[in-house]
Amino acid sequence: QRQRRRGAKLATFIVPAEIYPARLHATSHGISAASGKVGAIIGSFGFLYLAQSPDPAKAAAHGYPPSIGVRNSLFTLAGCSLLGFLLTFLVPEPKGKSLEEMSRENEVGQP
């Protein structure tokens, strides 16, 4: 539980502070936090529906439509996690540079 909260904080607070230009910090933090919350809601309810039995008789007993089952829904979650892991490599590394240097805000001719 504690480790999962650290990962969420990393994605919503630290990454936006390092990769977005200084003038967009507040906006980027808001968008990142909102996206994380929307993703959590979609994941919670999506897993509930995806985990239902593919057998129509069993699924109807619980009041949900038939779906792909627990095993396949866990494979789907694993695939999403792997995709998220791979996408983190697209985040630029600051390498000790300031935000202004990374976004090139101070260069002549930049708006």
Side-chain angles (χ1 to χ4, degrees), residues 48-95:
L48 172 70
Y49 284 101
L50 286 178
Q52 298 305 315
S53 175
D55 181 19
K58 289 182 182 178
H62 293 107
Y64 293 102
S67 191
I68 62 174
V70 174
R71 183 174 186 263
N72 290 331
S73 62
L74 288 174
F75 282 130
T76 302
L77 287 175
C80 289
S81 296
L82 182 62
L83 179 64
F85 172 73
L86 294 174
L87 288 176
T88 59
F89 290 110
L90 298 177
V91 176
E93 176 64 35
K95 299 179 185 168

Side-chain angles (χ1 to χ4, degrees), residues 2 5 9 12 16 23 26 28 30 36 39 44 65 78 90:
R2 178 173 242 159
R5 283 184 282 177
K9 288 179 184 177
T12 58
R23 60 187 164 83
S28 65
S44 297
L90 298 177

